[in-house]
């Protein structure tokens, strides 16, 4: 981390950012009951700004939380060409954090199965998720923490609408399909620009996230650019959109599995009431 002892303005800005990120993370944890007494939280560390920040804020909260929980950092080395294997172990050892480097050559599997030119995201994601879930069970982790933030959640919402025909996103807290694992996203309320500024000031040893050049990442960048343009033209729009996914009204959408539209009937009692029309 850069020396801010002689730069009071930068030091003040860093403190403000850390307090804001800590407050929003703490609020998300409380709202969704993400972490409970005695939890063993497996913090998935990719080497990007988001997971570094998540680890930092969770360790900060751990020191003052009214409950006791442990943290273990886990990096999944998928054997992608060019991945700098030494960076994360060196950083975590210096920090004094318990960690594991999980080596799984999912990259070769994906390249072997997926035809050239086709998107690798679906298979890669499933293999990555399976590896992390399996390791969480192996070490007895009760929660799996991922570094997705508010902007990731909104981008995923639009990606699913535009390309998947579904109105869904990344929930701040998720139970795996087999019922064994709870995935949490402590940074769900945090803005990417705050995380980026914080990571820059902390001078984290960032590992580039564009190793695979996947099609989904290209689509996500288009959606990201769209949302950033909207926010620039209409400040506060992304905050309003995030509020919208927290205020869902099933009766005003069109999913017959969520709301019984067929069963809607007029109420005879309604006709017995006097209707008053103000002119």
């Amino acid at each position: 981390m850069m020396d801010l002892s002689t730069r009071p303005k930068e030091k003040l800005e860093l403190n403000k950012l850390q307090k804001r990120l800590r407050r929003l993370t703490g609020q998300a944890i409380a709202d969704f009951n993400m972490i409970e007494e005695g939890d063993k939280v497996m913090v998935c560390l990719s080497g990007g700004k988001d997971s570094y920040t998540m680890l930092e804020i969770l360790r900060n909260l751990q020191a003052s939380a009214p409950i006791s929980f442990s943290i273990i950092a886990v990096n999944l080395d998928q054997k992608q060409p060019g991945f700098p294997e030494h960076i994360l172990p060196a950083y975590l050892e210096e920090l004094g954090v318990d960690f594991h480097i999980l080596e799984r050559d999912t990259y070769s599997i994906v390249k072997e199965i997926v035809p050239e030119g086709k998107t690798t995201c679906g298979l890669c994601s499933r293999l990555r998720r399976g590896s992390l879930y399996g390791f969480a069970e192996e070490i007895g982790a009760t929660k799996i923490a991922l570094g997705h933030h508010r902007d990731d959640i909104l981008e995923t919402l639009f990606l699913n609408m535009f390309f998947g025909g579904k109105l869904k996103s990344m929930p701040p807290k998720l139970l795996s399909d087999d019922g064994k694992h709870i995935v949490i996203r402590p940074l769900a309320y945090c803005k990417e620009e705050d995380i980026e500024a914080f990571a820059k000031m902390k001078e984290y040893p960032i590992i580039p996230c564009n190793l695979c050049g996947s099609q989904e990442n290209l689509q996500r960048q288009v959606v990201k650019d769209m949302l950033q343009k909207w926010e620039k033209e209409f400040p506060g729009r992304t905050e309003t959109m995030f509020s919208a996914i927290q205020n869902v009204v099933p009766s005003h959408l069109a999913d017959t599995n969520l709301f019984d539209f067929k069963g809607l009937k007029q109420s005879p009692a309604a006709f017995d009431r006097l209707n008053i029309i103000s002119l």
Side-chain angles (χ1 to χ4, degrees):
M1 178 179 165
M2 67 177 71
D3 182 9
L4 299 179
S5 59
T6 60
R7 300 160 67 178
K9 185 176 180 180
E10 287 84 350
K11 185 176 181 179
L12 177 62
E13 182 60 27
L14 176 63
N15 289 337
K16 285 172 59 179
L17 275 172
Q18 183 161 348
K19 286 180 180 178
R20 180 155 65 243
L21 290 169
R22 174 179 165 143
R23 174 177 57 81
L24 291 171
T25 301
Q27 183 180 342
I29 290 173
D31 286 351
F32 295 93
N33 193 29
M34 292 185 185
I35 300 176
E36 301 169 89
E37 177 69 36
D39 268 340
K40 184 175 186 178
V41 182
M42 186 175 96
V43 177
C44 298
L45 198 65
S46 66
K49 66 183 189 313
D50 307 326
S51 58
Y52 277 125
T53 299
M54 174 177 63
L55 177 62
E56 174 90 7
I57 299 301
L58 285 179
R59 291 180 70 234
N60 191 266
L61 288 170
Q62 182 189 36
S64 58
I67 59 172
S68 175
F69 63 94
S70 61
I71 289 174
I72 183 165
V74 172
N75 168 250
L76 176 61
D77 180 358
Q78 298 178 264
K79 298 305 176 184
Q80 292 169 308
F83 185 80
E85 300 178 357
H86 64 285
I87 290 181
L88 284 171
Y91 172 78
L92 293 168
E93 285 173 2
E94 183 179 352
L95 207 61
V97 174
D98 291 337
F99 73 93
H100 288 281
I101 303 298
L102 181 62
E103 296 187 2
R104 299 287 188 273
D105 189 4
T106 60
Y107 181 84
S108 296
I109 297 174
V110 169
K111 284 299 182 182
E112 181 180 344
I113 295 176
V114 180
E116 190 68 30
K118 297 293 184 180
T119 179
T120 60
C121 300
L123 177 59
C124 183
S125 177
R126 288 194 296 274
L127 291 172
R128 184 171 62 248
R129 184 167 57 245
S131 297
L132 290 172
Y133 282 5
F135 192 66
E137 188 171 357
E138 184 179 326
I139 64 174
T142 54
K143 301 288 171 60
I144 302 173
L146 304 179
H148 300 117
H149 46 67
R150 191 188 74 177
D151 299 74
D152 286 325
I153 292 173
L154 286 175
E155 289 162 15
T156 303
L157 173 68
F158 282 92
L159 278 170
N160 280 319
M161 285 196 293
F162 292 166
F163 303 104
K166 294 182 179 180
L167 191 61
K168 72 171 189 175
S169 186
M170 296 173 172
K173 185 178 182 180
L174 173 72
L175 179 66
S176 63
D177 292 339
D178 60 9
K180 291 182 178 179
H181 308 284
I182 293 181
V183 176
I184 59 174
R185 296 181 169 95
L187 301 181
Y189 290 169
C190 300
K191 296 189 294 186
E192 183 175 22
E193 63 176 335
D194 285 345
I195 294 171
E196 189 169 11
F198 183 74
K200 186 176 181 180
M201 288 187 177
K202 297 287 288 186
E203 294 186 336
Y204 292 133
I206 302 296
I207 298 174
C209 61
N210 59 349
L211 294 173
C212 61
S214 65
Q215 183 63 30
E216 180 180 308
N217 286 341
L218 298 178
Q219 293 170 344
R220 183 173 289 275
Q221 187 59 50
V222 171
V223 172
K224 180 188 288 289
D225 292 342
M226 179 191 74
L227 293 176
Q228 288 178 346
K229 182 180 178 182
W230 283 357
E231 182 64 24
K232 185 176 180 180
E233 293 178 355
F234 308 98
R237 172 170 285 191
T238 52
E239 186 173 346
T240 301
M241 286 190 293
F242 190 81
S243 295
I245 66 174
Q246 296 178 288
N247 295 280
V248 179
V249 185
S251 64
H252 285 54
L253 295 174
D255 190 334
T256 56
N257 293 315
L258 279 182
F259 188 80
D260 184 16
F261 292 99
K262 291 182 179 179
L264 285 177
K265 304 292 183 183
Q266 293 169 308
S267 171
F271 291 95
D272 296 331
R273 294 195 296 266
L274 177 64
N275 292 324
I276 301 176
I277 301 176
S278 299
L279 299 177

